[in-house]
Amino acid sequence: MKRKIILGAVALSALSCVVVIGLYFHLADRSVIASIYVDDEVLYQVNLTDVTETTTLTFGEEGAQNVVEISPEGIGVIQADCPDQTCVHQGIRAHGPAPIVCLPHNLSIRFSESGSEDVDLVTGTGAS
Amino acid sequence: MMRKWLCGVLAALLLAMGGCSAEAPETESLSFTAMDTAMTLSATGADAEAALSAVKEEILRLDALFSPVGEESDIARLNATGKAACSAETVALLKDGAAISHETEGFFALTIAPLVDLWGFSTKDYRVPTEAERVEAAALVDDAQITFGAGGEVALASGAKVDLGGIAKGYASSRAMEIFRAHGIKNASGSLGGNVQVLGTRPDGALWRIGITDPADPAALCARIEAKDTAVVTSGGYIRYFEADGKRYEHILDPQSGAPAESDLASVSIITPDGTLADALATALYVMGLDKGCAYWRTHADDFEALFVTTDGRLLATAGIAESVEPLDGYALEVVT
């Protein structure tokens, strides 16, 4: 009887370890890397899960300029001198999969992991 | 007995761990710009890389063929002279568009170009036209005036111009799925500027999870749809608009009034395997508004399903898709029957 209890305890411990390790790696995988591309080159990368302060970055020269804000809430274009302002209207995002795109300036913000919404694709990001 | 049970548990754990490390099928992705928007395609399978390359080539070809500008464009030539010999593919797409226009009683219009130009949405040189200008341009919007002759000849009424912006991406996404199939790909997806189309299921066999942008907060989602082998296209005025004198003017124009559509809808998503139909109906039902949109669905329920978000925050799904929709972000789901 005692042996059975010990064997049961060992099995439960093994199962618990697997669950805890699995959860650890699952949560660790939740980090969201945002990459800012200009002309298809990565100019800046940030792990959004590590951001604690708000910073702004300016890309391009006047006439082809985007101001990107990175904050604990996410990342987005808060100012642009492009004519359509589509990138600004896309808001501040904390995760993908939909990228933020400024076509006139060939700037995009892409996410390496879709984050917590559990979707594969997003419709309506350009709103036909 | 206990030993057998313990062995069973350990074996299951080992199998599970082994399963985690098993090689997943090869998935490739490709991003590029075409049709004035950003596109991302993914495919899983041995021939995925070649398939993606072929799809990109096809979309760039279609972009050149349907663009409002450019020497290779059938549409640019047609608009420039009002009459042109077009490729069989362009003629077929124009006929499809004209048929949808007829079926929706003009809420979708191929000949919307004069209005799009008038408001500056084509050049991004935005302005609010006078009422007289709007009435004049709206009078040119009439898809019944497109005539099709022999040898691919297409003719427009005087002053009329066509714009395939309302269906070209949808057509391109359906073509993409055909090319994936021809390459033996069973699991693929495409987002053509937010026009989504999926082939088969996800590589793991589960349904694709497609997020619907929340029109009240375009950085968030209002719903998630689980689906396979379908296009999901959303229309709304919350991304592309300009502001003048404190008023927002959205890019989806009402062919009848000549002004930006002002309905009780914030967005419409159409779910159907036909990307062209999805693209056109998303625009048409957005302009119609909720009541007319639901009535249209009731008479065409075999062709498509729809998800409506109203300006006062209601989320409504047609009966055929409702069970696959999960509301998010505080939305509650109503079912249209």
Side-chain angles (χ1 to χ4, degrees):
Chain A
M1 181 62 188
K2 195 176 176 183
R3 196 174 166 191
K4 282 183 181 175
I5 290 170
I6 291 169
L7 284 172
V10 168
L12 276 176
S13 300
L15 191 61
S16 303
C17 283
V18 169
V19 169
V20 168
I21 291 168
L23 269 176
Y24 173 79
F25 283 109
H26 180 69
L27 292 174
D29 281 349
R30 282 299 197 195
S31 67
V32 178
I33 309 294
S35 303
I36 302 171
Y37 288 74
V38 176
D39 296 331
D40 286 329
E41 274 186 52
V42 180
L43 297 191
Y44 194 84
Q45 274 193 327
V46 59
N47 185 341
L48 293 178
T49 44
D50 292 342
V51 174
T52 55
E53 290 178 358
T54 299
T55 54
T56 56
L57 302 167
T58 301
F59 295 89
E61 304 297 323
E62 201 172 314
Q65 200 166 71
N66 299 77
V67 179
V68 174
E69 181 182 283
I70 301 166
S71 73
E73 281 72 48
I75 185 168
V77 179
I78 56 167
Q79 201 179 316
D81 52 14
C82 58
D84 59 13
Q85 299 290 297
T86 297
C87 52
V88 178
H89 298 162
Q90 289 174 323
I92 301 285
R93 291 187 184 163
H95 53 77
I100 295 167
V101 180
C102 179
L103 274 181
H105 299 166
N106 211 8
L107 176 141
S108 61
I109 302 170
R110 302 177 204 171
F111 301 90
S112 65
E113 206 267 333
S114 62
S116 58
E117 292 284 3
D118 289 331
V119 294
D120 304 303
L121 300 125
V122 177
T123 177
T125 52
S128 278
Chain B
M1 179 64 189
M2 189 62 175
R3 189 175 292 170
K4 279 184 185 169
W5 179 80
L6 180 59
C7 288
V9 168
L10 290 174
L13 287 172
L14 284 170
L15 271 175
M17 290 166 79
C20 290
S21 61
E23 261 190 43
E26 191 180 345
T27 297
E28 301 282 346
S29 294
L30 184 63
S31 295
F32 57 96
T33 300
M35 298 184 171
D36 200 24
T37 195
M39 302 189 172
T40 300
L41 302 156
S42 292
T44 304
D47 206 18
E49 201 173 333
L52 286 167
S53 181
V55 168
K56 179 181 176 183
E57 197 175 312
E58 173 68 353
I59 290 176
L60 293 176
R61 183 187 70 80
L62 295 175
D63 190 8
L65 191 63
F66 301 148
S67 169
V69 293
E71 288 177 7
E72 292 172 52
S73 168
D74 279 351
I75 300 305
R77 285 189 298 108
L78 177 61
N79 286 340
T81 60
K83 194 174 190 180
C86 298
S87 68
E89 192 171 23
T90 302
V91 171
L93 189 57
L94 285 169
K95 283 183 175 175
D96 284 351
I100 298 170
S101 172
H102 177 73
E103 196 64 24
T104 60
E105 297 176 351
F107 280 98
F108 170 77
L110 288 172
T111 48
I112 195 84
L115 281 171
V116 176
D117 292 345
L118 182 66
W119 284 85
F121 285 108
S122 49
T123 58
K124 298 183 175 65
D125 186 12
Y126 307 113
R127 75 182 188 92
V128 181
T130 64
E131 190 178 348
E133 288 175 317
R134 278 197 287 117
V135 169
E136 189 183 353
L140 298 170
V141 181
D142 182 2
D143 289 9
Q145 298 300 314
I146 306 172
T147 52
F148 300 95
E153 190 162 281
V154 181
L156 304 175
S158 176
K161 287 166 73 178
V162 294
D163 180 352
L164 289 184
I167 48 175
K169 289 203 295 285
Y171 175 75
S173 68
S174 281
R175 280 290 300 133
M177 299 304 127
E178 286 172 14
I179 292 168
F180 283 135
R181 273 191 212 99
H183 279 259
I185 302 291
K186 291 186 170 56
N187 319 102
S189 66
S191 172
L192 280 57
N195 278 28
V196 164
Q197 189 148 1
V198 293
L199 174 66
T201 62
R202 285 163 30 132
D204 63 5
L207 296 172
W208 293 97
R209 301 162 308 176
I210 300 159
I212 309 292
T213 297
D214 182 355
D217 175 9
L221 304 178
C222 61
R224 178 171 47 219
I225 295 178
E226 292 196 330
K228 64 176 182 177
D229 287 317
T230 193
V232 185
V233 178
T234 300
S235 277
Y238 51 89
I239 295 284
R240 292 172 58 198
Y241 60 84
F242 71 95
E243 288 172 328
D245 301 326
K247 189 173 177 193
R248 180 191 285 200
Y249 297 94
E250 300 176 348
H251 79 286
I252 300 177
L253 300 170
D254 181 338
Q256 282 150 24
S257 71
E262 285 187 19
S263 73
D264 52 357
L265 292 174
S267 77
V268 180
S269 302
I270 301 294
I271 303 101
T272 174
D274 181 342
T276 308
L277 183 66
D279 209 357
L281 288 185
T283 305
L285 269 65
Y286 179 78
V287 180
M288 285 180 194
L290 182 63
D291 288 346
K292 274 188 186 160
C294 289
Y296 188 85
W297 169 75
R298 288 185 189 103
T299 55
H300 296 79
D302 290 342
D303 299 332
F304 74 97
E305 299 295 336
L307 188 73
F308 303 94
V309 183
T310 63
T311 51
D312 60 358
R314 293 166 67 201
L315 176 71
L316 303 97
T318 53
I321 193 74
E323 281 188 6
S324 304
V325 177
E326 181 186 349
L328 301 171
D329 206 17
Y331 280 88
L333 186 67
E334 299 172 46
V335 181
V336 179
T337 55

